[in-house]
Amino acid sequence: MEDMTVTEQDNAGTLPSRTRTITWEDPMIGADAGRQMTGLEYLQAILRGELPPPPIAALVGQRFESVEKGRVVLSVEPAEFHYNPMGTIHGGLGCTILDSAMACAIHSMLPLGVMFTTLDLSIKFLRPMTVDTGRVFCEGKVIHMGSRVATAEARLVDERGKLYAHGTTTCIAVHRHG
C-alpha cells in the first residue's frame, strides 16, 4: 500500500516537494511460512494474497502477475520516485525486477527445506525508461536446475513487447537447518 502527495511550496524560492509513504507487512510472517512450503507453494500463496509480499516489492512497487514452476512474471509501473539525476528511471529498478523475476523462477522449483543465494547477476540495459514508458513486465525463466546450482534468465518489456533490459543469474542451493 502506498500514499504519495505533491506539495507546492510558497513562492519564496523553495522547490515543490513530494512525500511518499510506504506500508508493508512483517517480512518474517512470509519467511516463517515459506519454511513449511515448497518454493512454488510459497510464491503462489503470495500471488493469491495469502502471504505478504517481501518489503522490497512495496518499496519499488513491483507485483506478481503469474507464478508457475520455473517461470514467474512480475510488473512495475516506473514512477517519478524511481528517477536518477539524468531524468530517467534509475537502472536499479530494472536490475531489481530482473533479479527478482529470475530468483523467483528458481525459487518456484525448490523443494521443501531448500533455499538459495545468488552467486552471479548480469544485466544488460538496452534503452532508458521514463514515467511515460508505462507498466513494464519481467518474465523470469529457469534455464538449468541442478541439485546445487541453478541458472535463470529474464526479459524486461513494456506493454507492446519492446525490450528494455535482459539478464541472467546463477544461484546456489543451501539446505535449511532448523
Side-chain angles (χ1 to χ4, degrees):
M1 175 176 279
E2 181 178 327
D3 178 38
M4 273 195 313
T5 59
V6 177
T7 306
E8 294 293 331
Q9 301 294 329
D10 60 25
N11 291 333
T14 58
L15 298 173
S17 66
R18 280 101 165 116
T19 301
R20 181 172 182 236
T21 303
I22 303 166
T23 304
W24 66 92
E25 292 81 17
D26 179 350
M28 297 316 296
I29 293 169
D32 291 342
R35 289 185 186 93
Q36 310 305 315
M37 304 172 165
T38 67
L40 183 61
E41 291 167 341
Y42 174 63
L43 294 174
Q44 287 177 336
I46 293 172
L47 176 68
R48 291 189 303 265
E50 297 166 4
L51 289 176
I56 187 69
L59 181 65
V60 300
Q62 93 185 13
R63 68 178 191 215
F64 282 97
E65 296 291 332
S66 67
V67 174
E68 58 191 72
K69 192 170 187 173
R71 181 181 171 274
V72 170
V73 178
L74 302 174
S75 69
V76 68
E77 179 102 18
E80 185 181 78
F81 57 83
H82 294 127
Y83 267 56
N84 63 28
M86 295 179 292
T88 60
I89 301 300
H90 190 283
L93 178 66
C95 190
T96 297
I97 195 166
L98 284 157
D99 180 41
S100 295
M102 292 184 288
C104 286
I106 290 171
H107 197 145
S108 72
M109 296 187 67
L110 294 179
L112 180 66
V114 178
M115 57 186 227
F116 67 95
T117 191
T118 301
L119 288 174
D120 178 73
L121 179 65
S122 176
I123 305 296
K124 306 296 184 220
F125 297 102
L126 305 176
R127 58 182 43 90
M129 292 185 289
T130 68
V131 294
D132 296 327
T133 301
R135 184 162 293 283
V136 291
F137 299 86
C138 191
E139 177 185 31
K141 293 184 199 177
V142 171
I143 299 169
H144 168 78
M145 190 71 188
S147 61
R148 290 278 294 155
V149 174
T151 59
E153 62 187 1
R155 297 169 47 92
L156 182 62
V157 300
D158 65 16
E159 290 179 328
R160 296 172 309 283
K162 183 186 248 184
L163 184 63
Y164 285 80
H166 59 90
T168 58
T169 192
T170 304
C171 296
I172 186 164
V174 179
H175 292 275
R176 294 181 184 138
H177 300 287

